[in-house]
Amino acid sequence: MHIPRHLAIIMDGNGRWAENRCLPRIAGHRQGVRTVREIVQECQRLGVDYLTLYAFSSENWGRPDDEVSALMELLSIYLREQFDLMLEKRIRLRVIGEIERLPLPVRRVLEETVAKTGDHDGMVLTLALSYGARNEILRASQRLAARVAAGELSPDAIDEELFAGSLDTSGMPDPDLLIRTSGEMRISNFLLWQIAYAEMVFTPVLWPDFGVEELHWALTEFTRRERRFGLTRDQVDCRSGEKGH
């Protein structure tokens, strides 16, 4: 089984999981947090270098206030509960998105955890919070435009590498594999720039039911894929042979 260096996951289906059991939606989110714990630990064990989880989108602010408040509380609880694991396994926490929109108590917990794990050399766990890829690209463009206006940067100097370095994910490799749960087959404004060459696996399993077995199935499916990055099969085979020497 080939392990992707960077795995990104759109965690979908918490609400439907709860509704299918005639439970309040928050019950699905609580179960979803348990799944996060399990998947994070398994990815760390398997040797995934970067794990990025779509935890709360920009659009999620439009959900009922009580659900948003409960999600923010669950996030704080998760970070506190998992802090010891992050220390033990040397997991480094990163956050992408419009963090300033999060409630102050949540931001404080996030900032504290990010700071205390900043020198860790293990798996990088990135939480996408209040995140939208179009907004990320817009913010990156505005930062570069400001540098051009200030005379610090020539427009001709802006290339893919410089633009990527202005995104929230600066310093991280692009995802090799994107998994989305719950049967939906769309990207939902997630890492639009970064997933240009990512393999995608969609599963009907709702996120609260997505355990280690389902993760291994997705990784096995990834292993079957031939990643050519626009090249021919012969070119890929030649390059693989060169690397082997």
Side-chain angles (χ1 to χ4, degrees):
M1 182 169 60
H2 182 57
I3 305 301
R5 186 183 182 200
H6 185 174
L7 170 61
I9 304 179
I10 300 175
M11 306 178 294
D12 193 19
N14 290 346
R16 272 171 283 171
W17 184 91
E19 291 165 1
N20 290 345
R21 291 161 176 76
C22 298
L23 297 171
R25 289 176 61 85
I26 189 58
H29 294 308
R30 291 195 186 100
Q31 186 63 36
V33 169
R34 296 188 183 98
T35 299
V36 170
R37 295 191 193 108
E38 183 178 9
I39 296 303
V40 167
Q41 292 186 49
E42 182 64 8
C43 285
Q44 189 277 329
R45 188 189 70 81
L46 289 172
V48 173
D49 291 330
Y50 296 84
L51 174 63
T52 300
L53 303 178
Y54 203 6
F56 190 85
S57 73
S58 301
E59 292 75 20
N60 287 156
W61 288 114
R63 292 188 175 186
D65 290 344
D66 57 345
E67 183 173 349
V68 171
S69 296
L71 284 168
M72 293 297 111
E73 182 179 357
L74 280 175
L75 173 60
S76 295
I77 292 172
Y78 169 78
L79 291 171
R80 292 190 179 97
E81 288 182 345
Q82 296 302 294
F83 185 66
D84 287 343
L85 175 69
M86 292 182 190
L87 291 180
E88 177 188 351
K89 301 297 184 181
R90 303 286 296 171
I91 295 173
R92 178 186 172 195
L93 180 70
R94 286 188 59 167
V95 185
I96 59 175
E98 294 183 285
I99 311 306
E100 64 276 4
R101 294 186 65 183
L102 299 173
L104 183 57
V106 176
R107 290 209 311 272
R108 285 174 175 166
V109 175
L110 278 169
E111 290 167 357
E112 180 181 359
T113 308
V114 168
K116 290 185 176 179
T117 63
D119 63 346
H120 286 184
D121 53 8
M123 183 178 75
V124 177
L125 171 62
T126 302
L127 300 181
L129 294 165
S130 187
Y131 174 87
R134 287 183 174 180
N135 175 268
E136 177 191 25
I137 292 171
L138 178 61
R139 287 186 283 109
S141 301
Q142 290 170 337
R143 284 193 289 269
L144 291 173
R147 292 180 61 189
V148 170
E152 301 173 1
L153 182 67
S154 166
D156 294 337
I158 300 175
D159 56 14
E160 288 191 12
E161 183 178 358
L162 184 61
F163 190 84
S166 300
L167 295 170
D168 293 354
T169 53
S170 175
M172 296 168 56
D174 289 341
D176 303 293
L177 172 62
L178 171 70
I179 299 172
R180 178 163 189 159
T181 60
S182 86
E184 303 293 348
M185 294 187 180
R186 55 179 177 269
I187 306 306
S188 295
N189 201 19
F190 184 49
L191 300 178
L192 296 179
W193 174 279
Q194 297 88 338
I195 62 171
Y197 283 101
E199 296 297 325
M200 300 182 190
V201 172
F202 299 96
T203 172
V205 177
L206 301 176
W207 177 249
D209 292 326
F210 189 86
V212 169
E213 184 176 344
E214 286 74 26
L215 174 64
H216 288 184
W217 170 82
L219 295 179
T220 299
E221 177 63 25
F222 172 69
T223 301
R224 296 192 184 104
R225 307 283 179 88
E226 181 182 59
R227 308 188 72 204
R228 297 203 301 266
F229 300 96
L231 303 178
T232 67
R233 181 175 298 173
D234 288 343
Q235 287 175 307
V236 172
D237 290 342
C238 286
R239 290 193 175 191
S240 298
E242 291 172 1
K243 290 180 181 179
H245 286 298

